[in-house]
Amino acid sequence: MSDLIRPAVVEDAEILHAIEMQADALLIDRLGAPEWPPAGDGAERLAAPGFVLVLEDSSGSPVGFVHVLDADGHAHLEQLSVLPTSGRQGFGRRLVSAALEAAREHGYTRMTLRTYAEIPWNAPFYSSCGFLESIPETPFQRGLVDTETSLGLDRYGRRVQMTVEL
């Protein structure tokens, strides 16, 4: 059996949340962040406009997911999470590639995201996937900046928007 990327289903809601909590713990530790927003609710992710893809390892166990929102008519990579125990195996890159392909198939012409500029598995990783720093242009994108500011995320490092043309 080989790795598989598939659309998420309702039964994945709890595992999505668990994967994100574990992946967030790695980021929280790296940032030294004593306060951090809670991991997203899996059921809410599945109900949001857009799509969620799950990557199962060769044993059939979910080890990561990517959540892409439909926002202002554009694809927005809202969350990419891989279990830390499954890190550095190319799963994140495979999920981003699958998300880009699915976004193209859905008719999107670009994908955006927001992330930390200096964390190696954030902006440098996305840059290696073709994303470039960009300026928030839409109401949704500007709203994300406002939300991040209100949550104090910028106290842990520079936040950037990145975009890739599809």
Side-chain angles (χ1 to χ4, degrees), residues 67-84:
H67 177 202
V68 177
L69 285 173
D70 177 312
D72 295 333
H74 300 287
H76 180 79
L77 197 158
E78 174 64 18
Q79 185 67 35
L80 172 67
S81 292
V82 174
L83 291 173

Side-chain angles (χ1 to χ4, degrees), residues 77-121:
L77 197 158
E78 174 64 18
Q79 185 67 35
L80 172 67
S81 292
V82 174
L83 291 173
T85 56
S86 297
R88 306 203 51 83
Q89 297 179 44
F91 293 148
R93 188 169 303 280
R94 288 194 52 214
L95 281 163
V96 170
S97 294
L100 294 172
E101 182 58 33
R104 279 186 208 95
E105 290 172 3
H106 283 89
Y108 295 107
T109 59
R110 66 182 179 166
M111 183 180 290
T112 59
L113 60 85
R114 299 246 346 133
T115 194
Y116 282 101
E118 281 80 35
I119 302 293
W121 63 87

Side-chain angles (χ1 to χ4, degrees), residues 114-152:
R114 299 246 346 133
T115 194
Y116 282 101
E118 281 80 35
I119 302 293
W121 63 87
N122 279 202
F125 166 74
Y126 290 117
S127 179
S128 76
C129 294
F131 286 83
L132 301 171
E133 278 194 47
S134 58
I135 302 211
E137 299 172 331
T138 68
F140 172 79
Q141 293 164 359
R142 289 188 294 274
L144 288 177
V145 174
D146 294 342
T147 298
E148 290 173 359
T149 300
S150 71
L151 292 171

